[in-house]
Amino acid sequence: MTTSVLFVCLGNICRSPMAEAALRQECARAGKTMIIDSAGIRDWHTGNPPDDRAQAVAARYGAPIDHLSARPVRVADFRTFDHIIAMDNDNLSNLKSMAPSDGSAKLSLFLDLLEGRNGQDVIDPYYEADEAFETTWADVVAGAKALIAKLS
Ligand code: 4NP
């Protein structure tokens, strides 16, 4: 069975679509197939493309995300995805409280994938300067590589 992964952040317009794009790119490089999606805890940006600054960084690294469209996490996600990976600790606690009793998805924190970053948040770049999106990109690429290694 193909492994399925859902990345979750607050708005689904910065961190989680960047993580989605990074994992797609790293899977392509590694010759792996995964089902990959992203969603937000909140529905504020439903139907919107990722933030322009996230689009710019992802395009610069060859992983365009302009076609993506934000959506909120759905209860069904807990039954259909193998892994739901939160970009920060608040997202993870929200996911834990939303999870239905028959949910089968494994919930985890993104930076727990990286040695030395256990328990850390992928910092939300939304309210930050453009440079913060470079840091986010570096984090999501490192996490994507670690996830592929872990699932291989
Ligand atoms: P994200 O960032 O959770 O990485 O997509 C945010 C996007 C939008 C907002 C907050 C964080 N917002 O307040 O609209």
Side-chain angles (χ1 to χ4, degrees), residues 78 91-100 107-108:
F78 293 89
N91 305 152
L92 183 59
S93 43
N94 277 299
L95 286 168
K96 284 178 178 166
S97 54
M98 290 169 70
L107 307 185
S108 62

Side-chain angles (χ1 to χ4, degrees), residues 6-10 16 39-41 73 84-88 91 95:
L6 178 70
F7 294 110
V8 173
C9 62
L10 184 60
S16 63
I41 295 293
V73 175
I84 300 182
I85 304 182
M87 304 310 290
D88 69 28
N91 305 152
L95 286 168

